[in-house]
Amino acid sequence: MRLLSQTAKTQLRHGSVLLEVVLALVLFVAAATIVTAGMNASVAAVERLRRDTHTLNLALSLMAELQMNSRPLEPAGPEPFEAPFEDWMWRIDVSALESAAVEADALKKVEVVVWHTTENSNQRVAQLFRSNDVAPARDGSGTSTNYFSPLP
Amino acid sequence: MTLRKASLRRAFTLVEVILSIIIILGILAVVLYFYQQAADVRKKALDETEYVTTARMFLEQLSIELHTAQTVESQFIGLEGSSNWIAFVTTSLPQTTRWIIRTNEPAVTVPNTDLKRVEYTLPYSTNLTELTALVRSERLLGVASLVETNLVTSTNEPASEPPTFVTSESTEPATNVVHVASGPVLTDRIQYLQFRYWNGTDWTDSWNSLSLPRGVEVSLGPAPMTFGETNEYPHQVFRRVIHLPRSSHPGNEVFDSAVEEALF
């Protein structure tokens, strides 16, 4: 009876040690998982910052090209950019201004939309142009000229 | 026999010790490897963040300055530039000290000009292992005679002649001069810089004219350009096209006439 009790105590002690080892491993794996997740989040944030910067640069560049008259001021797209930015798409929307003011009737809102094809990154840049600077829209509104001019 | 059993219970066996040492070494190796990987990722993330932030700030600053770029035709100062440098005249708020009216002065001094000549240069390095740095310099296009008089002698004589803008910049064609960078270092994160200029029909690699280009394309990169078999920049590049509203272009004539018609 005494011998059996000693064996039970030994097994209990071994089981406790095993439980401690397993608990330590679980804590280690949990800590490693948290640190890894934090690192992945940091890398993802940097990648998102870089991607958003590209998106912003592409949108501003597209609007600048419209202002420079190097690209026709008319509704266009969606189309992909040239390399190395082939992962981004662009679209140019032209719409009438919603304001009922008399001076605003001659204005058109030109909106440049740029977005990434796979990731959640998009940018919209808008500027008002006079209506006679805007080429005919897809619905037939607007008039066409071969020049453009931004608002003063 | 009883003593032997007791001694076995008090100490670890050699196998247990060796096994525990192996396990500890294995865990230490894993932890050290994990720590090194984490440190590398952290360093790369910090470097990338700093580079992207620097590129964004530089592009924003250059965009603002190019949006207000203009020419000083009276002194034949326009926009000059090549693929790795650009210099132009832009505007800024003048120093408020120029408007301070001193009671002992018979006449109000002429305010300092709001024009300044800004220059960005990324010098090429022949040694690929040597890092270069983006240099920015600016110089006020001051009214030379008046500024010197007011600062040195305070004679306060009213100016009899119209003020003249002065600058010591060369007006030689950009393609024939070796450009030397001067000024404080802006950042060393940007190791690749390329400008292109839109003349209305094509992109050109250099510009030296009294008229401004319609637009300037700026490309930035984190590593120097290596000239290999292809001329393509192998690293990731930030690129932005900046419109110069003050540029002379046939479209602007139409625009100016339209504005005059609308205003008057």
Side-chain angles (χ1 to χ4, degrees):
Chain A
M1 184 63 190
R2 185 181 176 189
L3 183 61
L4 187 62
S5 175
Q6 188 68 27
T7 304
K9 284 182 180 179
T10 303
Q11 288 178 349
L12 183 61
R13 190 163 59 243
H14 288 176
S16 300
V17 171
L18 179 61
L19 187 63
E20 289 173 355
V21 170
V22 171
L23 184 61
L25 282 176
V26 168
L27 290 177
F28 177 73
V29 170
T33 304
I34 291 173
V35 172
T36 305
M39 285 194 306
N40 286 337
S42 174
V43 171
V46 173
E47 181 67 18
R48 190 168 58 250
L49 175 65
R50 187 188 57 78
R51 196 168 48 242
D52 289 345
T53 303
H54 280 306
T55 308
L56 176 65
N57 286 337
L58 290 172
L60 292 178
S61 297
L62 194 57
M63 181 60 81
E65 287 176 357
L66 293 175
Q67 295 167 340
M68 290 158 45
N69 203 19
S70 65
R71 188 185 290 272
L73 190 59
E74 59 188 12
E79 292 181 19
F81 282 93
E82 296 178 356
F85 303 107
E86 61 270 16
D87 290 336
W88 280 265
M89 304 279 288
W90 61 270
R91 189 182 75 235
I92 298 175
D93 294 334
V94 179
S95 59
L97 202 61
E98 295 178 355
S99 172
V102 177
E103 293 85 3
D105 287 343
L107 299 179
K108 293 285 185 182
K109 185 178 75 172
V110 177
E111 189 176 27
V112 169
V113 186
V114 175
W115 69 96
H116 197 273
T117 53
T118 57
E119 304 292 337
N120 181 21
S121 176
N122 55 73
Q123 190 77 40
R124 289 173 179 265
V125 180
Q127 182 170 333
L128 299 180
F129 291 82
R130 291 179 306 187
S131 292
N132 57 353
D133 301 332
V134 181
R138 287 165 181 164
D139 57 358
S141 62
T143 57
S144 176
T145 57
N146 57 356
Y147 69 92
F148 90 98
S149 56
L151 288 174
Chain B
M1 189 64 185
T2 307
L3 182 62
R4 178 179 174 83
K5 284 183 179 177
S7 65
L8 281 177
R9 278 199 302 271
R10 281 199 301 270
F12 294 106
T13 64
L14 181 61
V15 174
E16 288 173 338
V17 170
I18 292 175
L19 191 61
S20 62
I21 289 175
I22 290 175
I23 291 174
I24 290 173
L25 287 179
I27 291 176
L28 274 179
V30 170
V31 169
L32 282 178
Y33 176 78
F34 187 77
Y35 174 75
Q36 189 174 7
Q37 292 294 317
D40 287 344
V41 169
R42 177 182 176 275
K43 185 177 183 305
K44 287 180 182 176
L46 282 177
D47 288 345
E48 182 72 11
T49 304
E50 191 169 349
Y51 165 65
V52 173
T53 307
T54 303
R56 288 185 71 145
M57 290 176 64
F58 171 68
L59 287 175
E60 288 301 319
Q61 182 176 0
L62 190 60
S63 298
I64 292 172
E65 290 177 342
L66 280 176
H67 278 311
T68 57
Q70 57 184 292
T71 60
V72 184
E73 296 180 358
S74 61
Q75 293 297 313
F76 306 103
I77 302 174
L79 187 145
E80 310 176 65
S82 183
S83 60
N84 68 324
W85 67 278
I86 189 172
F88 54 93
V89 176
T90 184
T91 59
S92 64
L93 287 176
Q95 297 174 0
T96 55
T97 54
R98 305 303 303 167
W99 276 284
I100 295 176
I101 301 175
R102 299 177 178 86
T103 55
N104 59 350
E105 290 181 355
V108 178
T109 56
V110 178
N112 203 349
T113 176
D114 62 341
L115 298 176
K116 62 181 179 181
R117 194 167 194 272
V118 180
E119 180 177 332
Y120 292 93
T121 308
L122 184 68
Y124 288 137
S125 175
T126 54
N127 185 4
L128 292 179
T129 59
E130 180 184 353
L131 295 179
T132 59
L134 179 61
V135 175
R136 180 188 188 275
S137 63
E138 71 174 44
R139 181 179 305 147
L140 282 177
L141 294 183
V143 187
S145 58
L146 292 176
V147 170
E148 286 183 0
T149 300
N150 292 329
L151 288 180
V152 178
T153 63
S154 298
T155 54
N156 305 319
E157 292 292 331
S160 59
E161 294 181 358
T164 57
F165 296 108
V166 294
T167 178
S168 62
E169 292 296 322
S170 169
T171 56
E172 296 179 15
T175 54
N176 296 336
V177 298
V178 177
H179 195 72
V180 179
S182 62
V185 172
L186 191 64
T187 177
D188 59 353
R189 291 285 174 184
I190 298 171
Q191 294 290 315
Y192 171 75
L193 177 66
Q194 186 184 38
F195 294 104
R196 292 200 304 165
Y197 310 90
W198 178 257
N199 60 12
T201 54
D202 292 315
W203 288 103
T204 60
D205 289 332
S206 64
W207 189 272
N208 186 12
S209 172
L210 268 181
S211 61
L212 298 174
R214 291 285 293 168
V216 176
E217 183 194 74
V218 191
S219 301
L220 307 176
M225 177 72 174
T226 54
F227 296 96
E229 296 179 352
T230 63
N231 289 328
E232 294 293 326
Y233 185 65
H235 304 281
Q236 199 166 54
V237 65
F238 286 112
R239 184 170 294 157
R240 182 184 289 189
V241 177
I242 303 169
H243 173 233
L244 279 69
R246 297 281 297 175
S247 58
S248 59
H249 187 269
N252 274 13
E253 297 171 2
V254 179
F255 170 63
D256 292 340
S257 62
V259 171
E260 289 180 2
E261 182 182 347
L263 292 178
F264 306 106

